[in-house]
Amino acid sequence: MNRGHLLAADERYGTREALGPHAVMLFFAAPSSTEPYGFRLHTAYRMFLAAPESENLVALLADLTAIAVDNIAHARSLGRWWHPLGPERSMVNGGDMTLPADAVYVGAGVSTLDSVDGSWQQLARCLRSPSGTGSVRSAFDLKSECYALLVDGTAIKVDRDPHARVGSSGVRSSKPLEARWDPLWHNPHHDLTMQGDADTRQVWHHLGTLHEVLTAQLRRKRPR
């Protein structure tokens, strides 16, 4: 998802359909006998057009949370049940927008093209500037990041680096991700949402608020 976001933003850079640096992802799971663990993951996402209001990730998450709360209240006032995939007031514009009837919400995430190397706008401009060394860079050389919160309390941070050393996935998780793991293993990332700089912790906080609103709504029984 993050790589697709990066390539789409690179392709549309400088056009009327240019993308902003952030995207929000919603994760759902449905039983599937053909999958190794018995379920299939479905991901719907929302990409945003480049605009001043889509540059700040914390503000973007806060706005989405307010929109979700308003959508829920509006649907209740009409005796209806709101779902972020629609059909009314959908929060997504891509990915798996039609789900199996038995799919359940399992989490929310963020894809961001800003990284430790700079903002997306800075990096995208650099790709299109002549290099003094004669070397050519492409979007495939850029780093990017993902955050995810799951309904079981797992927090996951992915620092995607195409030039990372072999064996370094860039994945940190507050809980073990392996099906089998050593219960005596010490996880240095058990408090992942409290780690990092102030900006990173703000992202976790606002993603968490959106996730809580969606969890409460989607775990509530749908009125008949």
Side-chain angles (χ1 to χ4, degrees):
M1 169 64 208
N2 180 257
R3 183 169 55 184
H5 178 201
L6 174 62
L7 296 180
D10 182 55
E11 180 180 342
R12 292 162 61 169
Y13 181 80
T15 72
R16 288 187 176 183
E17 299 299 314
L19 292 174
H22 314 299
V24 171
M25 303 172 284
L26 304 181
F27 306 116
F28 301 84
S32 174
S33 60
T34 61
E35 297 294 328
Y37 296 107
F39 70 89
R40 177 169 294 170
L41 180 68
H42 300 268
T43 303
Y45 59 79
R46 175 67 177 265
M47 292 187 184
F48 301 86
L49 294 178
E53 60 270 21
S54 64
E55 294 292 319
N56 186 308
L57 178 53
V58 167
L60 188 66
L61 289 170
D63 288 345
L64 279 181
T65 302
I67 290 170
V69 169
D70 181 67
N71 288 344
I72 292 168
H74 176 76
R76 285 183 186 172
S77 71
L78 299 175
R80 299 174 184 170
W81 188 76
W82 177 77
H83 193 285
L85 273 61
E88 296 180 3
R89 299 192 176 202
S90 172
M91 288 182 64
V92 300
N93 56 17
D96 299 322
M97 299 174 67
T98 301
L99 300 174
D102 52 358
V104 296
Y105 173 75
V106 294
V110 166
S111 166
T112 176
L113 306 183
D114 294 342
S115 72
V116 293
D117 288 343
S119 71
W120 162 243
Q121 295 297 337
Q122 293 170 330
L123 297 170
R125 283 195 297 269
C126 288
L127 292 181
R128 289 155 176 82
S129 300
S131 170
T133 62
S135 60
V136 178
R137 296 181 74 201
S138 73
F140 292 99
D141 296 304
L142 300 183
K143 299 176 183 178
S144 47
E145 300 176 354
C146 284
Y147 300 74
L149 291 174
L150 307 183
V151 291
D152 70 344
T154 301
I156 302 171
K157 176 91 169 17
V158 181
D159 295 302
R160 200 181 62 80
D161 181 357
H163 299 294
R165 60 181 175 80
V166 176
S168 176
S169 67
V171 176
R172 287 173 282 169
S173 175
S174 64
K175 294 185 179 182
L177 298 178
E178 296 79 13
R180 295 187 178 90
W181 56 282
D182 183 351
L184 299 179
W185 170 65
H186 170 68
N187 182 5
H189 308 301
H190 68 278
D191 58 349
L192 182 61
T193 60
M194 302 303 296
Q195 297 178 2
D197 58 22
D199 291 340
T200 298
R201 295 195 300 274
Q202 279 292 300
V203 172
W204 281 122
H205 171 72
H206 286 276
L207 177 60
T209 303
L210 175 62
H211 175 53
E212 289 172 5
V213 169
L214 294 176
T215 300
Q217 169 66 8
L218 298 178
R219 289 198 161 187
R220 183 180 292 112
K221 286 188 177 181
R222 185 170 186 169
R224 295 183 181 274

